[in-house]
Amino acid sequence: MAAEIVNPRSDSNTGHEGAEEPFDPAFALHRGGKMAVQATVPVRDKDDLSLAYTPGVAKVCTAIAEQPELVNDYTWKSNVVAVVTDGTAVLGLGDIGPEASLPVMEGKAILFKQFGGVDAVPIALATTDADEIVETVVRMAPSFGGVNLEDISAPRCFEIERKLQERLDIPVFHDDQHGTAVVTLAALRNAARLTGRTLGELRAVISGAGAAGVAIAKFLLEAGLGDVAVADRKGVVSKDRDDLTPVKRELAEITNKAGLSGSLESALAGADVFIGVSGGTVPEPAVASMAPNSFVFAMANPNPEVHPDIAHKYAAVVATGRSDYPNQINNVLAFPGIFAGALQVRASRITETMKIAAAEALAGVVGDELSADYVIPSPFDERVAPAVTAAVAAAARAEGVARR
């Protein structure tokens, strides 16, 4: 018999009097968690036990002690990722703490498995101190083949990722930054191809100077974008501002070749691309002021910065972060294949070249089916993960960071 589903806000949990709230399928799905550990070998009798555990396991332990690299062949290390968070920037919920972040981390782990064939373990840390997070992950690293940083607020996320990359010889990847950037680049490449342009001909404006906005700006420039201006709550990030954080000062040095200042709305005048990763609302007149055949990628969830109905009045290509509209910019298109490719060749890190290869492979899945409503494939397109995995593995080998 199925277990009774109890809404945690109902009187049966709180002890308060009152009517029980309606059944919610989200709570039903999450009861007991969304994942479990499953053995890959049988333990049916004493012979199996003697091989899987003592005394047989001692031979394997001794071999690894003598040749540490054998850990990748005789344990699950080479195919398992730690999904690490401190719960400070969870989806659109903000700083909700490590316990409340666990449903999201479990979700991330099952997406790793379903879409990339990669095992993942959710790890929520009871600290928001950057150095403590780094030290904790470094100490856990022998158990994992890679580290996926998740939902850690900016600007600490930049420091944490950088320090971990310096100290570890396994891939460390902050998905909120790089996964978003990879999928955005793939969609932008196809949008440009659809309208007969190159990346170098495009000027973009990004709303949001957090983890995703900063990473997208840097990545698009690395890939050859003509120019990009990034706007935060106070307007365009520019060299003439005296209120910039170190991260934004660095951003001001490499972006905004046009020398724009002032508001996001003023920067959009004549722009070819709008990329929203901030929430808020962009006024319709600002969208109307963009260049002909513009692209609007309004990725805030659940409410895009520009409603698709408005965007379609002016833009040649419209993308959102939602699954109920065409062209969903969804990180699940990137991170499972990126890690699968990196782990397949036991890469020591994930490089810019590997990320660009992932974006090109993702864009290539669309192929001749390209249209205004199809510049990026569906997460459920079975061609996606194999294409990204193969491209990332090949790029790692070409760049010399592969160890097999």
Side-chain angles (χ1 to χ4, degrees):
M1 185 174 73
E4 178 188 2
I5 305 302
V6 178
N7 189 313
R9 295 180 58 198
S10 73
D11 60 322
S12 57
N13 264 15
T14 63
H16 297 300
E17 294 184 1
E20 185 171 335
E21 295 184 11
F23 171 84
D24 188 326
F27 285 100
L29 183 144
H30 283 80
R31 178 166 289 283
K34 299 193 291 288
M35 57 186 295
V37 174
Q38 181 176 347
T40 60
V41 297
V43 185
R44 299 161 299 198
D45 51 36
K46 65 181 182 63
D47 292 331
D48 287 344
L49 183 60
S50 69
L51 289 174
Y53 200 54
T54 187
V57 72
K59 298 177 183 179
V60 181
C61 293
T62 302
I64 294 172
E66 294 173 354
Q67 299 181 60
E69 67 275 10
L70 292 179
V71 69
N72 293 297
D73 297 312
Y74 295 108
T75 72
W76 76 337
K77 175 182 171 72
S78 64
N79 194 53
V80 64
V81 171
V83 180
V84 178
T85 190
D86 63 359
T88 55
V90 181
L91 296 178
L93 304 174
D95 185 354
I96 61 174
E99 290 87 359
S101 75
L102 270 176
V104 178
M105 300 310 115
E106 287 184 2
K108 198 79 172 189
I110 64 175
L111 295 180
F112 264 110
K113 188 65 174 180
Q114 177 169 337
F115 292 101
V118 173
D119 290 306
V121 178
I123 297 173
L125 302 179
T127 178
T128 60
D129 181 271
D131 287 334
E132 288 184 359
I133 292 172
V134 170
E135 290 300 327
T136 301
V137 175
V138 168
R139 283 167 170 75
M140 294 190 305
S143 297
F144 299 99
V147 176
N148 183 90
L149 299 173
E150 189 74 21
D151 293 348
I152 299 173
S153 63
R156 295 173 311 112
C157 59
F158 305 114
E159 176 189 0
I160 291 167
E161 182 186 48
R162 176 181 54 78
K163 288 183 175 179
L164 286 173
Q165 288 172 339
E166 290 171 353
R167 294 184 60 179
L168 298 178
D169 65 347
I170 57 175
V172 177
F173 185 85
H174 185 208
D175 186 52
D176 302 312
Q177 295 183 59
H178 311 300
T180 308
V182 166
V183 182
T184 300
L185 174 59
L188 189 57
R189 280 193 181 281
N190 276 338
R193 179 164 69 94
L194 181 68
T195 56
R197 289 176 286 178
T198 65
L199 289 181
E201 298 175 74
L202 303 177
R203 177 172 74 84
V205 177
I206 297 175
S207 175
V214 170
I216 291 170
K218 291 181 177 180
F219 191 56
L220 293 183
L221 290 173
E222 182 78 18
L225 186 73
D227 192 14
V228 58
V230 181
D232 61 12
R233 292 183 180 86
K234 296 182 180 180
V236 175
V237 175
S238 58
K239 295 179 183 179
D240 60 356
R241 283 178 50 178
D242 59 5
D243 60 345
L244 300 179
T245 64
V247 170
K248 292 179 184 178
R249 282 200 298 271
E250 178 188 354
L251 194 63
E253 293 295 327
I254 61 173
T255 61
N256 195 16
K257 297 175 186 175
L260 302 174
S261 60
S263 68
L264 166 72
E265 291 80 4
S266 64
L268 279 174
D272 302 292
V273 186
F274 168 76
I275 297 170
V277 285
S278 66
T281 301
V282 177
E284 183 172 345
V287 181
S289 74
M290 295 177 68
N293 288 320
S294 61
F295 314 140
V296 172
F297 292 4
M299 297 186 281
N301 265 316
N303 300 311
E305 294 88 349
V306 182
H307 193 280
D309 291 345
I310 293 174
H312 277 296
K313 292 182 183 180
Y314 311 102
V317 176
V318 177
T320 72
R322 292 175 50 148
S323 60
D324 53 346
Y325 289 102
N327 298 325
Q328 184 190 19
I329 307 296
N330 191 328
N331 287 18
V332 77
L333 289 163
F335 69 81
I338 289 173
F339 266 101
L343 294 175
Q344 185 181 95
V345 297
R346 296 179 189 166
S348 57
R349 62 185 184 276
I350 295 171
T351 67
E352 292 299 298
T353 299
M354 293 161 70
K355 290 184 286 185
I356 289 175
E360 291 175 345
L362 184 54
V365 170
V366 171
D368 295 336
E369 302 170 70
L370 180 65
S371 70
D373 284 342
Y374 187 55
V375 297
I376 199 73
S378 163
F380 296 98
D381 189 323
E382 294 181 355
R383 300 171 295 173
V384 168
V388 174
T389 298
V392 169
R397 289 191 177 103
E399 201 165 6
V401 297
R403 288 177 285 201
R404 77 166 183 181

